[in-house]
Amino acid sequence: QLVESGGGLVQIGGSLRLSCAASDFPFKNYNIAWFRQAEGKRREGVAYIDENRSTTYRDSVKGRFTISRDPANHTVYLQMNSLKSEDTAVYYCAATGGDYLSFWDREIVYDYWGQGTQVTVSS
């Protein structure tokens, strides 16, 4: 099970930190991604972190977003800075037990999904 939190309303240029708490599976052996889905658009991969803490990001968030994980607390974070209106979306975390770095942004490789948390960036 994955549970996201930390979403909300923020002004353009502001920051938010999302959390994804995991339970009921061996978190330390799973690779975790954040996805987002804006209204009327397809869900897209935002960031990915593997069990060794290697990370990758979609181009539009590089330098602004940081994904990290805390194995002791079974939690993955997404620190989002310099937020833009186009970052507005529902954000989901997802977990996979496989090594899919080359396909990290493909929804089909993920075994578990959270329910999502809304992020709204407004002027």
Side-chain angles (χ1 to χ4, degrees):
Q1 180 178 348
L2 296 171
V3 179
E4 302 96 335
S5 61
L9 176 64
V10 63
Q11 289 188 327
I12 292 174
S15 298
L16 280 176
R17 188 177 80 157
L18 305 183
S19 299
C20 171
S23 62
D24 302 330
F25 65 91
F27 172 80
K28 67 177 182 179
N29 299 126
Y30 274 66
N31 304 315
I32 310 294
W34 284 96
F35 283 76
R36 66 187 180 188
Q37 187 169 21
E39 189 172 351
K41 296 188 177 181
R42 297 183 65 179
R43 190 151 52 181
E44 61 185 19
V46 175
Y48 173 90
I49 186 166
D50 71 13
E51 59 182 316
N52 298 313
R53 304 189 187 186
S54 295
T55 60
T56 191
Y57 300 87
R58 71 178 297 107
D59 287 346
S60 63
V61 306
K62 286 180 181 177
R64 300 189 298 121
F65 290 12
T66 303
I67 189 171
S68 61
R69 65 191 295 164
D70 179 356
N73 291 316
H74 292 198
T75 302
V76 170
Y77 303 99
L78 184 68
Q79 178 67 44
M80 305 186 295
N81 300 327
S82 302
L83 283 161
K84 304 176 180 180
S85 57
E86 52 262 44
D87 295 318
T88 294
V90 178
Y91 283 70
Y92 301 88
C93 62
T96 177
D99 182 9
Y100 296 111
L101 181 59
S102 296
F103 305 99
W104 72 272
D105 57 348
R106 307 289 177 87
E107 297 178 57
I108 195 171
V109 307
Y110 291 90
D111 306 306
Y112 300 97
W113 288 86
Q115 83 289 348
T117 186
Q118 176 71 47
V119 171
T120 303
V121 185
S122 175
S123 58

